[in-house]
Amino acid sequence: MSTDNPLISILMPYYKFPDLLVEAANSVRAQTYSNWELIVVDDCSPTVSAQNALATINDARIKVFRHAENFGNAQARNTAASHSSGDFFLPLDSDDLISPEYIEKALNAIKTNNSSAAFCDVQIFGMHSRLYTPSTDLSDIFCGHYPHNTLLMKREVYEA
């Protein structure tokens, strides 16, 4: 692992809503931290494929794979992880956005605190707008209520 400039793999499942996928990909492309790869897994979307939705974005850091059938978000994230090369993982849904400094700040928090992961609050937008603070209680996290769309973690944490 490169400790100064580690590769961040963003794991993105996609199913329907191509416009939101493009917005999500552009939020990744706007990062102040540039050593990342975006692995998009099209989970057999019946509408526009991820490949077609992202056709106008010319960025070698974006890789697209497609499932032959729909398996759901968890399997799509695992497929993305299996095609990744990063030292850190950031699961991000295709209808979510990250602020331009998110990766830089989260990675700095991990390095500063010598931790395995970092996350932040989530701004809910769309039909409802509110700020959501994910639980840090381990029992909540072990039950699957983890801050998945703001959780930057070491690869070995995801694999565990």
Side-chain angles (χ1 to χ4, degrees), residues 6 10 15 25 48 52 63-64 66 73 88 105 107 113 117 141-142 159:
I10 297 122
Y15 186 79
V48 177
N52 287 341
K63 301 170 185 122
V64 179
R66 182 173 169 89
N73 279 348
F88 288 84
K105 288 182 175 183
L107 186 58
N113 296 297
I141 293 169
F142 287 137
E159 290 173 347

Side-chain angles (χ1 to χ4, degrees), residues 10 12-13 17-31 38 90-103 120-126 147-151:
I10 297 122
M12 184 176 289
F17 308 111
D19 294 344
L20 298 179
L21 171 63
V22 171
E23 282 187 75
N26 282 331
S27 79
V28 172
R29 293 180 67 227
Q31 292 300 296
L38 173 58
L90 174 61
L92 184 67
D93 288 347
S94 61
D95 62 349
D96 291 331
L97 307 173
I98 51 176
S99 63
E101 295 178 339
Y102 176 71
I103 293 175
C120 65
D121 290 344
V122 177
Q123 175 63 52
I124 306 294
F125 62 94
H148 67 281
N149 285 339
T150 65
L151 182 63

Side-chain angles (χ1 to χ4, degrees), residues 120-135:
C120 65
D121 290 344
V122 177
Q123 175 63 52
I124 306 294
F125 62 94
M127 290 177 55
H128 306 283
S129 180
R130 67 182 175 91
L131 192 63
Y132 166 69
T133 302
S135 174

